[in-house]
Each structure stands twice: as structure tokens, then as C-alpha cells.
Amino acid sequence: MMKSRPMAATLALFTAAGLMLGGCSAPSGGDAGGEKKLTFMFRGGEDEKKAYEKAVEQFEAANGVDVDIIVTTADQYATKLKAAIAGKQVPDVFYIGPGDVQAYVQNGIVKDITEYVEGSDTIDLDNIWEYGVDSYRYDGKRVGEGAIYALPKDVGPFSFGYNKNMLEKAGIPLPDKDKPYTFDEFVAAAKKLTADTNGDGTLDQWGTGLNVQWNLQPFVWSNGGDWLSEDRTKVTVDTPEFAESLQWFADLQNVHGVTPSVAEAQTLDTYQRWMKGEIGFFPIAPWDLSTYQKLGFEWDVIPYPAGDTGETASWIGTLGVAVSESTKHPEEAVKLVEYLTANKEAQQSLVDAGIQIPNLKDMAETWAADTSTKPANKEEFLQIVKDYGRALPGGNTFNAEWYDELFTNIQPVLDGKQTAADYLKEAQPRMQEFLDAANQQAGN
Ligand code: CA
């Protein structure tokens, strides 16, 4: 498992649509001693757990509400939530991904909180990233517009980093934070970095080491390709732009040899190799920041290399905090959502824990200007959120089966045994079939 990858914090829970969801749910546990009681279910690692427990305590004290916490690991969350829903014990407040919105709305699991948050005096919607709020809007047809069904716990701009010391040692000019490498320039730099540094006949340093499932998107988009048509009805992976970028991705290993081989990556995965200083260029996400403060080398963040369009691209994840349709205390539940997503103190403690960038625009500007923590170019994360980040292609459709299908049989391309163009041509109809089924389920 790639530890640093999006598992950690920000992936949509691409599972909701597959659930057999019942109708309404029974109200959750009773109130003890007259105090209003809420259940909050979420997922995260130790740092995140601690930060949220603290935030919840502060909320309880300030609002006279008792909050029961149910916390799971990232891997267990979908299963546990599914069980809670099946058992009609839907938590009052819980995490959802953008990919869950349609199914949860259709099945009456999550509450429309538009009126609460728009009329609220404890939250300023305009100071929260539009991308985050819009990810949980749904107008009955399309996610991204309409009523609000959750507020963003965070937004997760997925960026790209490099090991400064390694580049300097190889005599490579440091990359420009405002001008992405072309594909060719990137390969040239990666080749220079790939080396047998101790002369024992085996490589111990590589230009990069990327995971196709989480890193292909920036290269496809910047090369003018995409997964879907604008109206999300047609799978568009069988284009020359898409094929060229996937082929380029596969060639990093097969032609240029600038990434650890499959065998080398099995000995020690690329995340570990990056942290040991063996890899020059590697993806960097907000939830990596606490861990990466302690790396034994200097590093910074840059735009992803860009294909034919010349414009860099990347994706941005998010998780939302929603309120159960069946909650007995909607006002308090929404207040908790607001507290977790937009309260200044709560946000600051999450940001200080190094697990996310601020949800609040004004706080984010202060954070980006702070040079006492790495990376220097924090602004890149904000640019992804504000300007060029896109949702993962599978995140805004009724389910992600069509999207996952691309990766299911992709290995021969990565191994150089099948061309990207051939593969995409045969994968497109399979993906289209899944997409049609998803759109049909969504009633589109
Ligand atoms: Ca060696």
C-alpha cells in the first residue's frame, strides 16, 4: 500500500452507490440527562484523531452539547459507515466524499443543510474555498450545483515536489515554480538523476517514481486529454492526447528507466525511497506535510510537468462533513459541521497538526506566507485550489466503476507489453458501459 497516497485523507468514498440503502433511518441514541447528544463518525490517522478530539471537546464546552465520537482508520471507514446505515444507526454527523452525494441524497441519508448554513451567523460561506463547498452541491441531476449537502472538512490539492539537494548535486538548475517543465525537459532531468551512486553496478537513485492511479491525471490533462465529455455522458480516453500521455508515463520506466523497476519498488516502495532521499521528483499532498517537515533534505513544491497545452494540471480531493437526514438535533448537528469545517481555532489546530491546508481563504493566505515551515512554495497548493485543480474523474459520477476500470487491466501498458493507444481503444467500450449504467442509476 502506498502510504502517502490519497488513502490518508481526502479521497471520495467511491462506495456509496454500491450500497443497498434503506429509506429513512431511525434516530440515533437517546439524549442523556436532558443534554442534547450527537454522534460524530469520522476517519483518520493518529494526528488527525487527536486534532479532531480536541476540536470536539471545545465544541461541547461552547455549545452544551454532548458529542460521541466514532473514529475509524481510513480503510475501515466505508465498511463501518455502511454497517451503521444498514443498522439504521446513521451518525448525526459524518464524513462523505463528493462521490457519495448522489446516492446518499437519493436514499434519504443526508440532510439538505442549505438553509442552515446560508442563514448562519457563525459561518461565512464566502471565506471557504468554492471548490470545497461546490463539491457537495447537488441539484438532483448533477453534483457541483444546487443545494448544499455537506461542508468540506478539507480540500486536498495534490502537488509535485523535488529533492533540492539531489538536483544541486547533479548540477541541474532548480526548477521554476512558475514555469512547468515540458515532458521532454522532465525526462532529461530525471535521466541525469538516475544513477548508481556507489558504483556497485545497481541503481540507488532515480529521477522519479509514480503511481499510475494517483499520478496519471496531471499528465493527461496538461496534454489536452480527459476522461469524460463535458456533460459526463461519454468516456473520452480513446483520444491521441490521452494515449500520448499514458504512453509517456509508461515510457518513464520502459524506455527511459528513470523510475525504480517493479522489482525495485517491491523491495522498498517509492514513498519510502523518496523519504530516504533516493528519488528526485515525487508527489506531495497536504496530509504529507507533517511527515515531510522531518525529511533529511531540502525540498520544495513545483507545478507538474506539462504536456502539449503547456498548462500544468493537477487534481484536488476533498472530504465533506454531512448531517444525517434522521438526526433529532439538526441545528446542533449543523453547528458541529460548521465548527469542524470553518471555526478559526479548530482550523488552526488542524493546520498546525500538518494534516491539511486551511479551509478558510484568509487563513490560507497567512499560512502560505509563513516561511518558517516547508515548503517555501506553499502558494502552489493554493493555486491548485483556486486556479487549476480538478476533481478526480470518478468523483462526480454516480459511482466510479467506469473510472476504476481504466486501471484494472493497465499493467501490460506499464510493462511495455501493450501500447497505450491499443489499450485505451479496447478499454473505452468497457468503461462506457459502466458509465452508462451509473448515469442510468443516477436518473440522468
Ligand atoms: Ca549502487
Side-chain angles (χ1 to χ4, degrees):
M1 195 52 64
M2 307 271 298
K3 182 176 170 287
S4 77
R5 298 315 89 213
M7 311 294 305
T10 325
L11 243 216
L13 313 172
F14 289 150
T15 49
L19 301 180
M20 293 303 294
L21 301 173
C24 292
S25 311
S28 48
D31 298 337
E35 195 176 48
K36 287 179 178 168
K37 190 169 171 178
L38 297 173
T39 309
F40 169 43
M41 183 163 166
F42 70 105
R43 62 190 173 99
E46 278 308 311
D47 290 351
E48 196 160 5
K49 197 172 139 187
K50 264 185 239 155
Y52 274 93
E53 280 169 352
K54 193 175 144 205
V56 165
E57 271 172 35
Q58 287 164 350
F59 173 81
E60 287 176 312
N63 292 275
V65 176
D66 183 25
V67 181
D68 273 358
I69 286 179
I70 305 169
V71 60
T72 80
T73 62
D75 292 342
Q76 289 173 338
Y77 184 79
T79 309
K80 295 251 165 100
L81 180 61
K82 189 174 162 180
I85 291 170
K88 302 198 186 302
Q89 294 290 320
V90 187
D92 297 280
V93 175
F94 57 103
Y95 283 2
I96 68 169
D100 301 323
V101 172
Q102 294 186 56
Y104 282 173
V105 171
Q106 281 190 9
N107 290 286
I109 305 294
V110 291
K111 193 171 205 61
D112 176 352
I113 58 171
T114 317
E115 280 185 29
Y116 294 90
V117 296
E118 282 182 350
S120 170
D121 52 10
T122 51
I123 189 170
D124 175 11
L125 266 191
D126 293 338
N127 195 27
I128 305 179
W129 302 115
E130 278 81 6
Y131 177 87
V133 177
D134 291 350
S135 292
Y136 305 98
R137 290 183 186 273
Y138 181 50
D139 62 4
K141 288 292 280 180
R142 213 178 142 87
V143 173
E145 293 155 30
I148 300 172
Y149 289 93
L151 290 177
K153 158 194 123 47
D154 68 359
V155 292
F158 204 59
S159 194
F160 199 54
Y162 70 98
N163 179 326
K164 259 186 177 175
N165 303 120
M166 193 191 287
L167 267 70
E168 280 166 350
K169 211 171 165 196
I172 299 170
L174 296 183
D176 190 328
K177 69 179 173 60
D178 298 316
K179 188 170 170 292
Y181 282 129
T182 65
F183 281 2
D184 288 346
E185 287 167 349
F186 178 70
V187 169
K191 277 182 175 170
K192 276 190 198 164
L193 295 173
T194 304
D196 170 12
T197 55
N198 62 3
D200 71 350
T202 60
L203 296 174
D204 15 51
Q205 181 177 296
W206 295 266
T208 191
L210 304 173
N211 174 296
V212 70
Q213 199 165 354
W214 305 115
N215 303 143
L216 179 64
Q217 303 83 356
F219 306 116
V220 171
W221 287 330
S222 72
N223 203 47
D226 206 345
W227 269 254
L228 282 183
S229 59
E230 180 76 16
D231 64 2
R232 301 177 196 163
T233 61
K234 181 147 176 37
V235 175
T236 56
V237 300
D238 53 343
T239 63
E241 296 83 4
F242 200 113
E244 190 182 47
S245 49
L246 174 57
Q247 191 64 58
W248 178 82
F249 188 98
D251 287 352
L252 289 173
Q253 171 57 37
N254 297 309
V255 175
H256 306 298
V258 296
T259 75
S261 65
V262 172
E264 285 160 343
Q266 269 166 1
T267 317
L268 189 63
D269 72 34
T270 53
Y271 170 64
Q272 298 293 338
R273 289 189 188 277
W274 153 258
M275 293 207 295
K276 281 179 75 181
E278 296 180 359
I279 287 193
F281 296 93
F282 200 71
I284 296 185
W287 50 90
D288 294 321
L289 295 180
S290 67
T291 303
Y292 289 2
Q293 297 304 319
K294 300 156 210 148
L295 292 180
F297 54 86
E298 294 298 314
W299 57 278
D300 204 356
V301 165
I302 47 172
Y304 272 91
D308 274 353
T309 69
E311 300 282 330
T312 191
S314 190
W315 59 264
I316 173 174
T318 173
L319 259 184
V321 193
V323 170
S324 162
E325 177 68 36
S326 59
T327 182
K328 284 198 287 182
H329 307 298
E331 282 190 29
E332 288 75 15
V334 174
K335 276 218 159 23
L336 176 58
V337 172
E338 290 180 351
Y339 190 84
L340 295 171
T341 58
N343 177 274
K344 280 199 167 64
E345 287 74 36
Q347 279 295 302
Q348 193 62 56
S349 71
L350 296 170
V351 172
D352 291 345
I355 51 179
Q356 70 170 71
I357 71 162
N359 256 350
L360 304 173
K361 294 177 187 173
D362 53 4
M363 188 181 285
E365 297 300 336
T366 311
W367 170 80
D370 174 10
T371 53
S372 71
T373 56
K374 290 173 202 161
N377 185 26
K378 294 189 186 71
E379 182 61 29
E380 196 69 38
F381 289 114
L382 303 195
Q383 284 175 11
I384 296 173
V385 179
K386 289 188 283 194
D387 304 333
Y388 70 83
R390 307 190 198 186
L392 279 169
N396 286 336
T397 48
F398 191 81
N399 64 50
E401 286 174 47
W402 68 272
Y403 176 71
D404 295 339
E405 176 64 26
L406 179 78
F407 300 107
T408 309
N409 297 295
I410 207 169
Q411 197 57 40
V413 179
L414 304 179
D415 293 341
K417 294 180 178 140
Q418 186 177 20
T419 67
D422 280 353
Y423 174 69
L424 293 167
K425 202 174 152 196
E426 76 176 44
Q428 193 279 340
R430 295 198 301 264
M431 295 170 70
Q432 186 66 50
E433 207 171 309
F434 281 123
L435 179 69
D436 290 344
N439 280 337
Q440 202 171 5
Q441 268 186 292
N444 288 351

